[in-house]
Structures are given as C-alpha cells and as structure tokens.
Amino acid sequence: MTEAAVHVQGQAAAQHALHSYVHEAVASGATHAEGQQHPIKLYLVVWGWLFVLSTCSYLVDYFGIHGHLRWSLILLFMVLKAGLIVAVFMHMAWERLALAYAILLPPVLVLVFVGIMVFESDYTHLLRVMFFGATT
C-alpha cells in the first residue's frame, strides 16, 4: 500500500506542477495556438492586389476594349485573382506539392482541352466555308 500511496502522491505533485506551469503560461500570454498563423499584412496585401485586379477588369469594360483583347484581359485578371485566392486564402501555398497537383492540375487540363477544342472549331468552320460556302 505504501508504494501505491507514494505513486498517487507523486502523480498529484506532477499534476499540481503541470497546473501551475499552465497557469503561468496563460498569465504570461505564451499560449500555443493550433495551426499555422500568418501575419495580417499578408492578407491585407492580397486584398489590395485583388482590389487592383478587379479594378483593372472593370476598366477593360470602361474603356470599351472589344474582341479577343477584351476576353484575354478579362480571363487573365480572373485567373490571377483565382490564383491569389487559392494560394493564400485557401492555404494552397503551404500545402504539400502532391495535394496542390491533385487540386490544381485538373482545371489546367480542362483549359488545355478547351484550347484544343477552340482550334478544332476554327478548323471545322474553315472547312465548312471552303467546301459548302456556309457563313454561319
């Protein structure tokens, strides 16, 4: 019984020491936050860039740019904004490379396939005009 009593007293002393350590850490403000903490400046800079890119996107319409240049600029600004949002606000910049590839590679491949379809549609349209004289 004496060994059990010594063991219980040892545990009680250890718990008291741990409790006093935690109390001192909380009092000194040295608590440990879960997860990764980023400085607020990073988020403010990203918000600033998002504002600038959105302004540029609206200026494309304001200045009346038309045609392929208009759509190229709008898509460029859209992709840049989406990249900033995914990298910083969704914390993709700090993820493992395999996870980043698993999330980012499928949309890139979809864009590649859309580009292939655009070239194919131009080729098909050209053939229709050449052989059938169709203009629509």
Side-chain angles (χ1 to χ4, degrees), residues 3-130:
E3 285 182 33
V6 170
H7 183 70
V8 169
Q9 286 177 348
Q11 282 183 343
Q15 285 179 350
H16 178 69
L18 179 63
H19 178 70
S20 63
Y21 173 76
V22 169
H23 180 68
E24 288 173 13
V26 170
S28 67
T31 59
H32 176 69
E34 289 295 323
Q36 190 175 14
Q37 299 294 320
H38 303 290
I40 191 73
K41 181 182 177 184
L42 173 69
Y43 294 108
L44 294 175
V45 167
V46 171
W47 283 333
W49 276 109
L50 289 173
F51 179 77
V52 168
L53 290 171
S54 294
T55 303
C56 291
S57 181
Y58 291 123
L59 286 177
V60 168
D61 285 333
Y62 181 77
F63 289 125
I65 298 173
H66 296 288
H68 291 294
L69 179 61
R70 175 180 187 231
W71 291 109
S72 299
L73 288 173
I74 288 174
L75 288 174
L76 174 71
F77 296 139
M78 178 188 67
V79 167
L80 288 174
K81 290 189 296 185
L84 279 172
I85 290 168
V86 168
V88 177
F89 294 119
M90 296 176 71
H91 304 286
M92 190 59 63
W94 298 281
E95 290 294 336
R96 294 186 320 239
L97 193 56
L99 183 62
Y101 281 149
I103 293 173
L104 298 177
L105 192 60
V108 170
L109 290 177
V110 166
L111 289 175
V112 168
F113 290 136
V114 166
I116 291 170
M117 288 187 289
V118 166
F119 289 124
E120 180 67 24
S121 69
D122 285 341
Y123 173 75
T124 305
H125 180 69
L126 178 65
L127 285 179
R128 285 184 183 169
V129 169
M130 286 175 42

